[in-house]
Amino acid sequence: MDMVIPQNLRALAEACSFPLYIVGGYVRDFLAGLKSGKQDIDICAPVAAEKFVAVAESCGAYVNAVYANTGTVKLCFGAEEYEFACFRSDEYVRGVHAPVKTFFTDDIYADARRRDFKCNAVYYDIKRGELCDPLGGIEDIKNKVIATVALPDKVFGEDGLRLMRLARQAAQTGFSPSADCLAGAKNNARLAADVSAERIYAELAAILQADLRYGVKDAQYRGLEILKSTGVLNVILPELTLGDGMAQNEKFHRYDVLEHSLRAVKYAEPCVRLAALVHDIGKPYCMRENGNYHMHEKEGARIALAALSRLKVPKKAAAEAAELTALHMYDMRCDARENKIRKFMVKNYAVLDKLLLLKQADYSACRDDTSTAPCVEKWRGIYGKMVEEGVPFTLKDMKVRGGEIIAAGAAPSSVGGILEKLLYDCAVGAVKNEREALLKRCRIYIG
């Protein structure tokens, strides 16, 4: 075996009088030939936590935490971080994320059966340099299959978070869930509602960036499709799945509202994928209330913010996704006049780059057309002209300051408004961004 093992971990394994194993994603990824910039290494052994801690500390490890109930230890050698777990078997109550009882064991088969998927239950004996495969996980890795370590109803029934982990791991690795695994996830989809919002969003965020983990093409879209097919997406974002089967104008759209949203994520750059997911979340509401999609971006911003807040999405990210949702339809048909677009760009400069990315993703998702969106091409041309003209995009870029406006006779309370008007004047070419010209122009706004 030619697995890369940090020297500190090798030394720790040599110091142990018991076998020390690496288990989980690190072994799976090695066997599958998947490479990532940073990979966590989980270790385990058939000994009590206190015995392992004693050996680890004698080897120079710093123990950050010991969780006696689960036999889990967090430790590090400088920047190298590891999580150790005693061999154990867990007992769950359906719908409760954490085990209600833990039984420690020296049986590697029992330890493997308490995990989620067989591809994550392959062990590597560090000292001996050998694999141990209690459940046939190596064959699953070879075939790029995700199958549960026990009956799917049992595995997903024990922990609803595994429903999200299934979609995320399948997306990241490019593995395919078995038919039984998918059926079991579908049968237990409602249990996702019992998992904390923070844990759900952490997995969803990883799905939205899934292609970045190992470079699997369109991984983020595939993960969302698994959430959709198992019914989990309907549990965590019911506002979004109301668009499932909801038809759109065939002249512009090949897909229904939900599929279009998922494909927008497929085509979106990583920084706007959350916004791409929710950009049309207002369409089902508008269709139900008005019989059409008019102003869906406005309603969508409100609905998106509420849904993302419920999922405990960080406030800044949620607010940005809602703002981009509110703005994404502006000039979609390329009929807005240039001066209006110039003012719009200045007003929304903080999110302009991301808005253009969202507009492109939205366009591409309509008919799988990856050519430059007409609106994006038009806006980039206007933006280029503005840059050439030296147009300021923010107040900081202005060649005049508030004190100078006051000195010209403005009331202090009016300075902000005057500066904003001057900024828009610069945007449309009514005045150049030059100190004297701006001071002269400001006098028309001083009452």
Side-chain angles (χ1 to χ4, degrees):
M1 295 294 294
D2 193 25
M3 186 181 296
V4 176
I5 310 295
Q7 186 55 42
N8 286 318
L9 193 54
R10 285 193 180 278
L12 175 58
E14 290 294 334
C16 292
S17 59
F18 46 84
L20 184 65
Y21 299 91
I22 298 174
V23 67
Y26 194 78
V27 180
R28 177 201 66 211
D29 295 350
F30 169 73
L31 294 175
L34 296 169
K35 295 182 180 180
S36 177
K38 183 182 185 301
Q39 291 178 291
D40 297 328
I41 301 180
D42 295 326
I43 53 179
C44 59
V47 295
E50 54 268 24
K51 185 172 182 179
F52 169 77
V53 167
V55 179
E57 289 182 332
S58 72
C59 291
Y62 177 79
V63 175
N64 297 304
V66 178
Y67 303 95
N69 289 341
T70 59
T72 303
V73 179
K74 292 188 176 183
L75 66 150
C76 64
F77 291 93
E80 296 175 17
E81 297 181 351
Y82 304 97
E83 182 168 297
F84 167 87
C86 308
F87 279 11
R88 68 177 192 261
S89 179
D90 297 324
E91 181 180 313
Y92 287 84
V93 171
R94 183 175 176 81
V96 178
H97 172 61
V100 294
K101 288 185 181 179
T102 295
F103 307 92
F104 297 111
T105 179
D106 59 2
D107 183 355
I108 198 169
Y109 179 82
D111 187 73
R113 298 281 285 188
R114 63 100 179 168
R115 297 181 182 274
D116 50 11
F117 310 118
K118 290 193 288 183
C119 61
N120 296 330
V122 179
Y123 299 70
Y124 178 74
D125 187 324
I126 301 172
K127 191 185 301 186
R128 300 181 65 177
E130 295 178 353
L131 291 168
C132 181
D133 184 16
L135 305 177
I138 292 177
E139 188 68 14
D140 280 2
I141 294 170
K142 179 181 177 181
N143 295 322
K144 297 186 176 182
V145 169
I146 296 181
T148 53
V149 296
L151 291 175
D153 275 340
K154 177 180 184 296
V155 171
F156 293 117
E158 288 176 344
D159 184 357
L161 187 62
R162 289 171 174 167
L163 297 160
M164 297 295 298
R165 285 169 54 83
L166 171 66
R168 189 253 300 167
Q169 292 187 27
Q172 290 176 334
T173 61
F175 289 14
S176 297
S178 69
D180 286 347
C181 186
L182 282 174
K186 190 171 184 178
N187 291 340
N188 292 276
R190 64 189 180 280
L191 294 182
D194 299 324
V195 181
S196 72
E198 291 87 350
R199 299 294 295 275
I200 290 290
Y201 176 64
E203 293 291 336
L204 178 61
I207 290 170
L208 293 177
Q209 309 290 320
D211 60 321
L212 303 183
R213 181 70 192 229
Y214 304 114
V216 175
K217 182 175 172 56
D218 298 332
Q220 69 280 13
Y221 170 72
R222 190 162 173 271
L224 292 172
E225 282 289 318
I226 291 173
L227 290 181
K228 173 188 171 183
S229 67
T230 57
V232 176
L233 190 61
N234 187 52
V235 175
I236 64 174
L237 276 173
E239 303 92 339
L240 185 69
T241 55
L242 286 172
D244 193 12
M246 188 170 285
Q248 304 193 82
N249 188 332
E250 293 182 1
K251 181 179 179 180
F252 304 106
H253 289 274
R254 183 178 292 166
Y255 306 103
D256 65 36
V257 173
L258 177 58
E259 181 61 18
H260 169 77
S261 297
L262 304 190
R263 285 178 178 268
V265 176
K266 173 181 178 179
Y267 292 112
E269 292 295 319
C271 63
V272 294
R273 286 178 183 167
L274 181 61
L277 182 64
V278 300
H279 79 283
D280 276 350
I281 202 169
K283 281 187 173 180
Y285 173 86
C286 289
M287 179 59 72
R288 184 177 68 247
E289 294 296 313
N290 309 315
N292 57 56
Y293 296 139
H294 182 61
M295 295 299 289
H296 73 271
E297 66 274 22
K298 179 180 178 181
E299 296 295 344
R302 173 183 61 81
I303 295 168
L305 187 59
L308 297 179
S309 297
R310 185 184 68 244
L311 285 179
K312 306 296 184 183
V313 176
K315 289 183 178 180
K316 184 177 180 181
E320 181 179 85
E323 182 179 8
L324 291 171
T325 295
L327 299 174
H328 82 275
M329 286 297 292
Y330 186 71
D331 197 35
M332 188 61 73
R333 296 181 180 178
C334 293
D335 53 2
R337 296 196 304 272
E338 180 170 328
N339 275 0
K340 284 193 172 184
I341 294 171
R342 284 171 170 254
K343 289 182 178 180
F344 181 93
M345 286 183 173
V346 167
K347 181 179 180 181
N348 300 287
Y349 185 68
V351 295
L352 179 59
D353 288 344
K354 291 183 178 180
L355 181 59
L356 288 173
L357 293 176
L358 177 58
K359 281 177 166 289
Q360 181 61 55
D362 189 13
Y363 174 81
S364 295
C366 290
R367 305 190 66 82
D368 298 314
D369 184 351
T370 57
S371 64
T372 303
C375 175
V376 172
E377 186 172 7
K378 172 186 173 182
W379 283 34
R380 284 177 177 167
I382 294 172
Y383 178 80
K385 286 196 292 184
M386 294 172 72
V387 171
E388 287 181 6
E389 293 165 9
V391 170
F393 288 92
T394 68
L395 293 178
K396 289 184 178 179
D397 297 331
M398 298 282 286
K399 299 299 184 181
V400 69
R401 293 291 175 259
E404 294 172 301
I405 301 294
I406 293 173
S413 60
S414 67
V415 169
I418 292 173
L419 284 171
E420 188 173 272
K421 289 175 181 177
L422 292 175
L423 183 64
Y424 292 141
D425 285 344
C426 288
V428 299
V431 64
K432 289 186 176 295
N433 187 26
E434 297 172 353
R435 180 176 177 277
E436 293 304 322
L438 291 169
L439 287 173
K440 181 179 179 180
R441 180 76 177 180
C442 82
R443 292 189 179 96
I444 69 174
Y445 300 122
I446 297 174

